Amino acid sequence: MSQTKLETPTDLLRFQLRTAFTMEEDSLAALGELAQAAKSADVKKLFRHHADETKEQIEILRRVFGVLGFPVSSAASPSTKGISKQATSLIERSAPALRDQVTLSAALGNEHYEISAYESLILATRSMGAADAVALLQQNLDQEVHTSQELNTRLSTMTG
């Protein structure tokens, strides 16, 4: 379902949900790359754990589509492609000793984008009175915030 013009709040919500679906799929791929680039076992483990959470978030988004009566579909997410491209560039430029810090920093940037996307989706679904969808999206947002805090904590031990 390709839609070139967004004319109603529902059109916008559907499009944002589709891009969030792509965002999570892109994030899942990026987490594999970050885990591969990381040097320490605990950072690799952190990325693998977040990949498992991301798979759950994708399933939750599938449920949100259903609750809202939208077909499950995706839409391009240029932002996540750009975040991944930036991460790849930083990894390629970094010395091996700096890889854990670089990968964690890249992941943190992505988490902040995801938090913003979920906050927007929650506001839109709440305004539609879709409490079931809001609750599902809140689960994903809560996981993203928790992951952001984990990344912050881990990074602070490296830089502080």
Side-chain angles (χ1 to χ4, degrees):
M1 168 191 275
S2 177
Q3 184 172 5
T4 56
K5 193 164 190 134
L6 306 174
E7 297 178 3
T8 67
T10 302
D11 291 344
L12 177 59
L13 173 59
R14 183 181 304 122
F15 183 76
Q16 288 176 313
L17 188 57
R18 292 173 63 219
T19 59
F21 193 75
T22 302
M23 169 188 78
E24 291 296 2
E25 289 178 329
D26 289 348
S27 293
L28 186 58
L31 286 164
E33 294 168 12
L34 292 172
Q36 201 170 24
K39 291 300 176 192
S40 67
D42 64 320
V43 173
K44 288 177 182 290
K45 182 179 175 182
L46 179 71
F47 288 134
R48 285 192 298 271
H49 172 71
H50 188 49
D52 290 340
E53 288 180 340
T54 302
K55 290 174 189 173
E56 292 172 16
Q57 292 166 352
I58 290 169
E59 290 311 309
I60 287 172
L61 286 173
R62 287 181 187 281
R63 290 173 53 198
V64 172
F65 276 104
V67 166
L68 295 174
F70 300 153
V72 176
S73 63
S74 59
S77 178
S79 297
T80 53
K81 297 280 191 250
I83 291 167
S84 290
K85 194 174 190 177
Q86 174 70 11
T88 299
S89 174
L90 287 172
I91 290 165
E92 289 171 353
R93 301 171 114 165
S94 66
L98 198 57
R99 289 279 167 84
D100 285 345
Q101 187 174 346
V102 168
T103 57
L104 290 166
S105 293
L108 183 60
N110 191 64
E111 289 306 309
H112 285 240
Y113 176 74
E114 291 177 346
I115 289 167
S116 173
Y118 281 114
E119 287 174 341
S120 293
L121 282 168
I122 288 168
L123 288 170
T125 54
R126 185 175 290 132
S127 72
M128 291 178 62
D132 291 347
V134 169
L136 291 167
L137 292 166
Q138 188 66 50
Q139 288 177 34
N140 281 5
L141 175 59
D142 291 347
Q143 274 191 335
E144 300 296 359
V145 168
H146 177 75
T147 299
S148 173
Q149 291 167 343
E150 283 182 328
L151 293 167
N152 267 312
T153 298
R154 187 70 174 96
L155 273 166
S156 69
T157 65
M158 295 178 169
T159 60

